[in-house]
C-alpha cells in the first residue's frame, strides 16, 4: 500500500552545487568545486566526513600509483601525504576525519550533517530541488548542479536513472563486513603465526575446527586480516555477511546485528587460537556496515571488463587506475580459490593502468547531475577495482571540476568541453593518456 502526503516543505538552502554524500568521492568533488569559487553545499546523513573510509574503519588505502606514475594526483595526493609525510597506506581514522574537515573548511564548502536525502523534485527534466530529512523534519535544497556521492547512487536513482546491482544473472552480491578496531595484541608475534595470511592452510584448519566445535557460527574462510592503523590499534577486515541488499533498511539492520555477533565470536577465536592475540580486545566497530557492493548507476558509457583487460584509453579520459579485480567471494573454500585466481590474473604490471572515461560520471536521463565514487557506470568486475578509495578521489575530483565548468558556462555537464575538462584536470595533476 502507498500513502500520499500533501506537504509544505521549507526551502532552507540554495547553492550553485549540491553534493550529496561526504564519502571520499563526495568530499573530493565538493572541495574541487568550492576552490573554484562556487557555493557548494555538501549534505551528509551521518555526523562525520569520509563515508566508509572513516565511518566503517577501512584499514588502508589501496594503490595511489602504478609503480611508475602517481594516478591520484590533486586531491588524492593531498590526502595521502597530508596524513603522513611518507605517504604510508594505513588509515588513522581520527586524523583522516580532521584532514577532510580541514580541506573542506579551507575550500569554503558548506557542510550539513544529520541530513538524509529522501526524495527529489524534477522540473523540465532537471533536478530542481533535493529533499532531505533533518533533525526537525523535511527540508529542501535548491541548486543549479547536483553530484551523487552517496556510494549507493541514491540521488541518481531517485531522479530516474537506471542502475544495475550485483551479477547480471542473479543479483549475487559481494558480502558486507562490519569492520573493527582491536588493541592489546603483540603484532610481531601475530606476523609469525598463520592468521596474517588468510590463505595459510593452518589458518583455514583453525577456522574449520572452530566452526565444527560451534565456536564460530558461520563457515567463512576469507579473512583478509588485521592491520595496525595507529601505534596502539589495528583495524580488522574480518567477518562477512552474505547477500545483504544495500537498498533495504531491514536487510542492513539485520546484517549489522548479525555481524556484531560474529565479531564477538572472532574475538574469542583470536584470543584462543592466534599467537599474539591472547589478550587482545575489540574496542570499536564501524558506525556503519561496510557495504562492498551497491548500485552501479548506468551512464552515457559503461566501463567494461574488456576495457579493463585491454588497459583501454579514451578520448574523454579523466584519469587512470590499476587496482586488480577484487570480488569478495560468497562463502566456501572453492570461492576463495576462484577469488585468488581472479585477483592474481588481473594484476597489472608496473606502469600499466586502464582509462576512466568522463562519460561514466554522466547518469542516463539527467541534465544537471554527475555521479562519483563507487556508484559510477561500470560492469561488475570493473566496479570491484574502481570502488576503492584512491579511485573515488579520481572520479570525485573530476566530477567537481565538471560541475564547475557546467556552472561557469551555464550548460549541462553532458555538454561541457572534454578538452577543457582535461586541460583543467591536468593543472590539478591528473594522470591520463
Ligand atoms: C568492508 C570494506 C572494506 C574496504 N576496504 C578498503 C580498503 O582496504 N582500501 C580501500 O581503498 N578501499 C576499501 N574499501 C572500499 C571503499 O572504502 C569504498 O568503496 C569507498 O569509501 C567508496 O567511497 P564513496 O565516496 O563512493 O562512498 P562512501 O564511502 O560509501 O560514502 C558515501 C557517503 O554518502 C552518505 N550517504 C549515503 N546515502 C545518503 C543519503 N541518502 N543522504 C545523505 N548522505 C548519504 C554516506 O553516509 C557516506 O558518508 C572497502 C569497502 C568495504 C565495504
Amino acid at each position: 500500500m502507498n500513502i500520499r502526503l500533501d506537504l509544505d516543505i521549507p526551502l532552507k538552502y540554495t547553492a550553485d552545487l549540491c553534493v550529496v554524500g561526504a564519502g571520499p568521492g563526495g568530499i573530493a568533488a565538493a572541495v574541487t568545486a568550492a576552490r573554484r569559487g562556487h557555493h557548494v553545499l555538501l549534505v551528509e546523513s551521518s555526523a562525520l566526513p569520509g563515508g566508509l573510509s572513516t565511518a566503517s574503519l577501512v584499514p588502508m588505502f589501496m594503490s595511489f600509483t602504478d609503480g611508475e606514475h602517481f594516478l591520484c594526483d590533486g586531491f588524492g595526493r593531498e590526502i595521502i601525504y597530508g596524513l603522513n609525510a611518507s605517504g604510508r597506506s594505513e588509515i588513522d581514522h581520527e586524523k583522516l576525519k580532521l584532514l577532510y574537515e580541514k580541506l573542506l573548511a579551507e575550500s569554503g564548502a558548506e557542510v550539513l550533517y544529520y541530513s538524509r536525502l529522501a526524495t527529489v523534485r524534477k522540473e523540465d527534466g532537471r533536478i530542481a530541488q533535493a529533499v532531505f530529512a533533518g533533525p526537525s523534519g523535511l527540508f529542501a535544497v535548491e541548486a543549479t548542479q547536483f553530484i551523487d556521492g552517496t556510494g549507493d547512487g541514491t540521488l541518481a536513482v531517485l531522479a530516474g536513472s537506471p542502475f544495475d546491482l550485483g551479477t547480471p544473472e542473479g543479483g549475487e552480491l559481494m558480502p558486507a563486513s562490519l569492520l573493527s578496531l582491536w588493541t592489546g595484541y603483540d603484532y610481531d608475534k601475530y606476523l609469525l603465526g598463520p592468521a596474517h595470511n588468510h590463505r595459510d592452510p593452518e589458518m583455514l584448519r583453525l577456522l574449520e575446527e572452530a566452526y565444527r566445535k560451534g565456536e564460530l557460527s558461520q563457515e567463512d574462510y576469507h579473512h583478509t586480516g588485521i592491520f595496525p592503523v595507529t601505534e596502539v590499534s589495528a583495524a580488522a577486515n574480518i567477518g562477512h555477511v552474505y547477500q545483504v541488499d544495500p537498498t533495504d533498511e531491514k536487510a542492513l539492520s539485520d546484517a549489522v546485528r548479525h555481524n556484531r555477533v560474529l565479531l564477538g565470536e572472532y574475538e574469542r577465536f583470536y584470543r584462543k587460537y592466534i599467537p599474539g592475540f591472547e589478550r587482545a580486545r575489540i574496542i570499536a566497530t564501524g558506525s556503519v556496515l561496510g557495504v562492498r557492493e551497491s548500485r552501479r548507476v548506468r551512464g552515457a558509457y559503461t566501463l567494461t571488463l574488456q576495457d579493463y583487460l585491454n588497459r583501454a584509453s579514451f578520448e574523454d579520459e579523466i584519469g587512470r587506475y590499476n587496482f586488480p579485480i577484487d570480488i569478495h567471494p560468497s562463502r566456501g573454500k572453492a570461492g576463495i580459490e576462484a577469488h585468488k585466481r581472479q585477483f592474481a590474473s588481473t594484476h597489472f604490471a608496473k606502469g600499466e593502468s586502464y582509462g576512466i572515461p568522463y562519460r561514466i560520471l554522466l547518469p542516463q536521463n539527467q541534465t544537471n547531475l554527475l555521479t562519483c565514487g563507487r556508484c559510477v557506470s561500470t560492469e561488475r568486475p570493473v566496479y570491484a577495482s574502481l570502488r576503492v578509495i584512491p579511485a573515488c578521489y579520481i572520479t570525485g575530483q573530476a566530477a567537481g571540476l565538471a560541475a564547475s565548468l557546467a556552472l561557469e558556462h551555464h550548460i549541462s555537464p553532458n555538454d561541457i568541453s572534454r578538452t577543457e575538462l582535461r586541460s583543467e584536470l591536468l593543472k590539478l595533476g591528473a594522470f591520463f593518456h
Side-chain angles (χ1 to χ4, degrees):
M1 188 187 91
N2 293 332
I3 59 162
R4 182 168 282 275
L5 295 176
D6 187 11
L7 292 174
D8 281 329
I9 298 169
L11 176 61
K12 262 178 114 169
Y13 304 90
T14 55
D16 297 327
L17 169 65
C18 174
V19 180
V20 183
I27 295 177
V31 167
T32 304
R35 283 178 178 166
R36 286 181 75 99
H38 301 295
H39 177 195
V40 177
L41 186 67
L42 174 62
V43 194
E44 163 62 42
S45 56
S46 72
L48 72 160
L52 299 183
S53 70
T54 51
S56 275
L57 302 174
V58 164
M60 67 183 76
F61 298 107
M62 292 310 174
S63 45
F64 279 76
T65 82
D66 64 11
E68 287 178 2
H69 315 99
F70 197 84
L71 303 176
C72 312
D73 223 324
F75 190 79
R77 184 181 286 277
E78 289 179 65
I79 294 294
I80 187 78
Y81 290 106
L83 269 192
N84 58 74
S86 55
R88 289 192 313 275
S89 64
E90 73 266 18
I91 300 180
D92 179 329
H93 304 99
E94 290 309 312
K95 279 196 183 149
L96 183 55
K97 286 178 208 170
L98 272 175
L99 180 58
Y100 283 142
E101 298 279 23
K102 175 174 175 283
L103 294 176
L104 282 163
E106 286 171 359
S107 75
E110 193 180 348
V111 182
L112 284 184
Y113 293 132
Y114 298 102
S115 305
R116 176 170 286 275
L117 176 72
T119 189
V120 298
R121 191 177 154 271
K122 284 185 95 172
E123 219 174 75
D124 301 327
R126 57 185 295 284
I127 302 171
Q129 293 97 16
V131 175
F132 295 85
S136 57
L138 298 181
F139 67 89
V141 171
E142 196 162 86
T144 310
Q145 298 296 336
F146 288 85
I147 292 180
D148 186 337
T150 61
D152 297 317
T154 309
L155 173 56
V157 170
L158 287 172
S161 292
F163 67 91
D164 298 289
L165 181 60
T167 50
E169 308 78 42
E172 187 181 322
L173 294 162
M174 282 187 260
S177 295
L178 186 65
L179 303 185
S180 49
L181 210 55
W182 297 55
T183 192
Y185 49 81
D186 177 339
Y187 205 71
D188 292 334
K189 211 166 150 195
Y190 168 77
L191 288 178
L192 295 174
H196 75 282
N197 174 3
H198 61 275
R199 290 169 187 134
D200 187 317
E202 174 59 7
M203 182 63 175
L204 298 187
R205 192 193 65 72
L206 288 173
L207 288 166
E208 200 164 16
E209 182 185 324
Y211 175 65
R212 254 193 301 104
K213 287 181 180 162
E215 293 166 347
L216 295 176
S217 58
Q218 179 173 280
E219 206 170 11
D220 178 5
Y221 301 105
H222 189 206
H223 277 231
T224 46
I226 301 186
F227 311 91
V229 290
T230 70
E231 304 78 10
V232 291
S233 61
N237 192 346
I238 54 173
H240 289 108
V241 261
Y242 299 97
Q243 276 309 108
V244 183
D245 180 349
T247 66
D248 181 80
E249 58 284 346
K250 175 81 169 73
L252 287 167
S253 306
D254 291 347
V256 85
R257 278 196 301 271
H258 178 199
N259 210 152
R260 210 179 298 289
V261 171
L262 293 179
L263 281 176
E265 296 174 5
Y266 283 124
E267 189 183 52
R268 288 188 289 280
F269 170 86
Y270 269 72
R271 288 170 71 110
K272 179 169 175 184
Y273 293 105
I274 303 302
F277 271 66
E278 296 82 357
R279 293 166 59 78
R281 284 205 48 197
I282 294 178
I283 48 167
T285 53
S287 55
V288 289
L289 184 69
V291 171
R292 288 194 180 78
E293 183 159 10
S294 191
R295 299 185 190 103
R296 311 186 307 275
V297 177
R298 280 194 210 151
Y301 183 77
T302 297
L303 196 57
T304 66
L305 173 60
Q306 208 49 55
D307 294 330
Y308 176 99
L309 295 172
N310 292 346
R311 285 83 166 147
S313 296
F314 299 91
E315 277 186 12
D316 63 341
E317 202 163 290
I318 51 165
R320 298 185 69 81
Y321 202 54
N322 67 339
F323 187 62
I325 292 175
D326 181 17
I327 303 181
H328 276 232
S330 306
R331 341 173 163 248
K333 287 181 182 164
I336 295 193
E337 285 309 308
H339 173 261
K340 189 164 96 179
R341 279 195 302 276
Q342 183 171 54
F343 194 76
S345 69
T346 57
H347 227 282
F348 284 177
K350 212 171 164 183
E352 290 184 339
S353 54
Y354 61 92
I356 307 169
Y358 172 56
R359 285 160 293 159
I360 71 168
L361 313 186
L362 294 172
Q364 292 176 13
N365 303 339
Q366 310 296 342
T367 58
N368 63 338
L369 177 65
L370 288 140
T371 53
C372 64
R374 62 192 161 103
C375 63
V376 296
S377 185
T378 55
E379 284 184 351
R380 186 172 187 248
V382 186
Y383 177 92
S385 160
L386 206 57
R387 73 188 173 92
V388 297
I389 299 164
C392 295
Y393 295 145
I394 298 177
T395 54
Q397 175 169 271
L401 190 51
S404 302
L405 296 180
L407 286 165
E408 287 154 27
H409 296 297
H410 307 284
I411 54 176
S412 163
N414 302 343
D415 300 326
I416 61 166
S417 153
R418 279 40 169 181
T419 311
E420 186 179 13
L421 175 65
R422 282 160 55 86
S423 96
E424 291 300 305
L425 278 172
L426 271 182
K427 290 181 196 161
L428 298 179
F431 172 75
F432 42 71
H433 287 172

